[in-house]
Coordinates of all heavy atoms in Angstrom, one line a residue:
I970 N 11.6 5.9 -2.8 CA 10.9 4.8 -2.1 C 10.6 5.2 -0.7 O 11.5 5.6 0.0 CB 11.8 3.5 -2.1 CG1 12.1 3.1 -3.6 CG2 11.2 2.4 -1.3 CD1 13.2 2.0 -3.7
S971 N 9.4 5.0 -0.3 CA 9.0 5.3 1.1 C 9.4 4.1 1.9 O 9.2 2.9 1.6 CB 7.4 5.4 1.1 OG 7.0 5.4 2.5
F972 N 10.0 4.4 3.1 CA 10.4 3.4 4.0 C 9.2 2.6 4.5 O 9.3 1.4 4.7 CB 11.1 3.9 5.3 CG 12.5 4.5 5.0 CD1 13.0 4.6 3.7 CD2 13.2 5.0 6.1 CE1 14.3 5.1 3.5 CE2 14.5 5.6 5.9 CZ 15.0 5.6 4.6
A973 N 8.0 3.2 4.6 CA 6.8 2.6 5.0 C 6.4 1.4 4.0 O 5.7 0.5 4.5 CB 5.7 3.6 5.1
D974 N 6.9 1.5 2.8 CA 6.5 0.5 1.8 C 7.5 -0.7 1.8 O 7.3 -1.7 1.1 CB 6.5 1.1 0.4 CG 5.4 2.1 0.2 OD1 4.4 2.0 0.9 OD2 5.5 2.9 -0.7
I975 N 8.6 -0.6 2.6 CA 9.5 -1.7 2.7 C 9.2 -2.6 3.9 O 9.1 -2.1 5.0 CB 11.0 -1.1 2.9 CG1 11.3 -0.2 1.7 CG2 12.0 -2.2 3.0 CD1 12.6 0.6 1.9
P976 N 9.0 -3.8 3.7 CA 8.6 -4.7 4.8 C 9.7 -5.0 5.8 O 10.9 -5.0 5.4 CB 8.2 -6.0 4.1 CG 9.0 -6.0 2.9 CD 9.1 -4.6 2.4
W977 N 9.4 -5.3 7.0 CA 10.3 -5.7 8.0 C 10.6 -7.2 7.8 O 9.6 -8.0 7.4 CB 9.8 -5.6 9.4 CG 9.8 -4.1 9.9 CD1 8.8 -3.2 9.9 CD2 11.0 -3.5 10.4 NE1 9.3 -2.0 10.4 CE2 10.6 -2.1 10.7 CE3 12.3 -3.8 10.6 CZ2 11.5 -1.2 11.2 CZ3 13.2 -2.9 11.1 CH2 12.8 -1.6 11.4
S978 N 11.8 -7.7 8.0 CA 12.0 -9.1 7.9 C 12.8 -9.6 9.2 O 13.6 -8.8 9.7 CB 12.9 -9.4 6.6 OG 14.1 -8.8 6.7
K979 N 12.5 -10.7 9.6 CA 13.1 -11.3 10.8 C 14.6 -11.6 10.5 O 14.8 -12.2 9.4 CB 12.4 -12.5 11.3 CG 11.0 -12.2 11.9 CD 10.3 -13.4 12.5 CE 9.0 -12.9 13.0 NZ 8.4 -13.9 13.8
H980 N 15.5 -11.3 11.4 CA 16.8 -11.7 11.2 C 16.9 -13.3 11.1 O 16.2 -13.9 11.9 CB 17.7 -11.2 12.4 CG 19.2 -11.3 12.1 ND1 19.8 -12.5 12.2 CD2 20.1 -10.4 11.8 CE1 21.1 -12.3 11.9 NE2 21.3 -11.0 11.6
P981 N 17.7 -13.8 10.2 CA 17.7 -15.3 10.0 C 18.3 -16.0 11.2 O 18.1 -17.2 11.4 CB 18.5 -15.5 8.8 CG 19.3 -14.2 8.6 CD 18.5 -13.1 9.2
T982 N 19.1 -15.3 12.1 CA 19.8 -16.0 13.1 C 19.4 -15.6 14.5 O 19.2 -16.4 15.4 CB 21.3 -15.8 13.0 OG1 21.7 -16.2 11.7 CG2 22.1 -16.6 14.0
F983 N 19.1 -14.3 14.7 CA 19.0 -13.7 16.1 C 17.5 -13.4 16.4 O 16.9 -12.5 15.7 CB 19.9 -12.5 16.2 CG 21.3 -12.8 16.0 CD1 22.0 -12.2 14.9 CD2 22.0 -13.6 16.8 CE1 23.3 -12.5 14.7 CE2 23.4 -13.9 16.6 CZ 24.0 -13.4 15.5
E984 N 17.0 -14.1 17.4 CA 15.6 -13.9 17.8 C 15.4 -12.4 18.3 O 16.2 -11.9 19.0 CB 15.2 -14.9 18.9 CG 13.8 -14.7 19.4 CD 13.6 -15.6 20.6 OE1 14.3 -16.6 20.8 OE2 12.6 -15.4 21.3
G985 N 14.3 -11.8 17.9 CA 13.9 -10.5 18.4 C 14.6 -9.4 17.6 O 14.5 -8.2 18.0
V986 N 15.2 -9.7 16.5 CA 15.9 -8.7 15.7 C 15.2 -8.7 14.3 O 15.0 -9.8 13.7 CB 17.4 -9.1 15.5 CG1 18.0 -8.0 14.6 CG2 18.1 -9.1 16.8
E987 N 14.8 -7.5 13.9 CA 14.2 -7.3 12.6 C 14.9 -6.3 11.8 O 15.5 -5.4 12.3 CB 12.7 -6.9 12.8 CG 11.9 -7.9 13.4 CD 10.5 -7.4 13.6 OE1 10.3 -6.4 14.4 OE2 9.5 -7.9 13.0
L988 N 14.9 -6.5 10.4 CA 15.6 -5.6 9.5 C 14.6 -5.0 8.5 O 13.8 -5.7 8.0 CB 16.7 -6.4 8.8 CG 17.7 -7.1 9.7 CD1 18.5 -8.1 8.9 CD2 18.6 -6.1 10.3
K989 N 14.9 -3.8 8.1 CA 14.2 -3.2 7.0 C 15.3 -2.8 6.0 O 16.1 -1.9 6.3 CB 13.4 -2.0 7.5 CG 12.5 -1.4 6.4 CD 11.6 -0.3 6.9 CE 10.3 -0.9 7.4 NZ 9.2 0.0 7.3
H990 N 15.4 -3.5 4.9 CA 16.4 -3.3 3.9 C 16.2 -2.1 3.0 O 15.4 -2.1 2.1 CB 16.6 -4.5 3.1 CG 16.8 -5.8 3.9 ND1 17.9 -6.0 4.7 CD2 16.0 -6.9 4.1 CE1 17.8 -7.1 5.3 NE2 16.7 -7.7 4.9
I991 N 16.8 -0.9 3.4 CA 16.5 0.3 2.7 C 17.1 0.4 1.3 O 16.4 0.8 0.4 CB 17.1 1.5 3.5 CG1 16.5 1.5 5.0 CG2 16.8 2.8 2.8 CD1 14.9 1.6 5.0
I992 N 18.3 0.0 1.2 CA 18.9 -0.2 -0.1 C 19.9 -1.4 -0.1 O 20.6 -1.6 0.9 CB 19.7 1.1 -0.6 CG1 20.1 1.0 -2.1 CG2 20.8 1.5 0.3 CD1 20.4 2.3 -2.7
T993 N 19.8 -2.2 -1.1 CA 20.5 -3.5 -1.0 C 21.6 -3.7 -2.0 O 21.8 -2.8 -2.9 CB 19.5 -4.6 -1.3 OG1 19.0 -4.5 -2.6 CG2 18.3 -4.6 -0.3
S994 N 22.3 -4.8 -1.8 CA 23.4 -5.1 -2.7 C 23.0 -5.1 -4.2 O 23.7 -4.6 -5.0 CB 24.0 -6.5 -2.3 OG 25.0 -6.9 -3.2
K995 N 21.8 -5.6 -4.4 CA 21.3 -5.7 -5.8 C 21.2 -4.3 -6.4 O 21.5 -4.1 -7.6 CB 20.0 -6.4 -5.8 CG 19.3 -6.6 -7.2 CD 18.0 -7.3 -7.1 CE 17.4 -7.4 -8.4 NZ 16.1 -8.0 -8.4
Q996 N 20.7 -3.3 -5.6 CA 20.5 -2.0 -6.1 C 21.8 -1.2 -6.2 O 21.8 -0.2 -6.9 CB 19.6 -1.2 -5.1 CG 18.2 -1.8 -5.1 CD 17.4 -1.4 -3.9 OE1 17.8 -1.7 -2.8 NE2 16.4 -0.6 -4.1
T997 N 22.9 -1.6 -5.5 CA 24.1 -0.8 -5.5 C 25.3 -1.6 -6.2 O 26.5 -1.2 -6.0 CB 24.5 -0.4 -4.1 OG1 24.9 -1.6 -3.4 CG2 23.4 0.3 -3.4
N998 N 25.0 -2.6 -6.9 CA 26.0 -3.5 -7.5 C 27.0 -3.9 -6.5 O 28.2 -4.0 -6.7 CB 26.7 -2.8 -8.6 CG 25.8 -2.6 -9.8 OD1 25.0 -3.4 -10.1 ND2 25.8 -1.4 -10.4
G999 N 26.6 -4.2 -5.2 CA 27.4 -4.7 -4.2 C 28.3 -3.7 -3.4 O 29.0 -4.1 -2.5
Q1000 N 28.1 -2.4 -3.8 CA 29.0 -1.4 -3.2 C 28.7 -1.1 -1.7 O 29.6 -0.9 -0.9 CB 29.0 -0.1 -4.0 CG 29.6 -0.3 -5.3 CD 29.5 1.1 -6.1 OE1 28.9 2.0 -5.7 NE2 30.1 1.1 -7.3
F1001 N 27.4 -1.1 -1.4 CA 27.0 -0.7 0.0 C 25.5 -1.2 0.2 O 24.8 -1.4 -0.8 CB 27.1 0.8 0.3 CG 26.3 1.7 -0.6 CD1 25.0 2.1 -0.3 CD2 26.9 2.1 -1.8 CE1 24.3 2.9 -1.1 CE2 26.1 3.0 -2.6 CZ 24.8 3.4 -2.3

Side-chain angles (χ1 to χ4, degrees):
I970 300 171
S971 169
F972 292 2
D974 293 337
I975 301 170
W977 285 100
S978 59
K979 291 184 179 190
H980 193 284
T982 307
F983 303 113
E984 179 186 344
V986 178
E987 295 179 295
L988 305 166
K989 186 172 274 206
H990 306 294
I991 303 303
I992 191 164
T993 65
S994 176
K995 181 179 176 183
Q996 295 163 294
T997 67
N998 293 320
Q1000 293 179 355
F1001 60 91

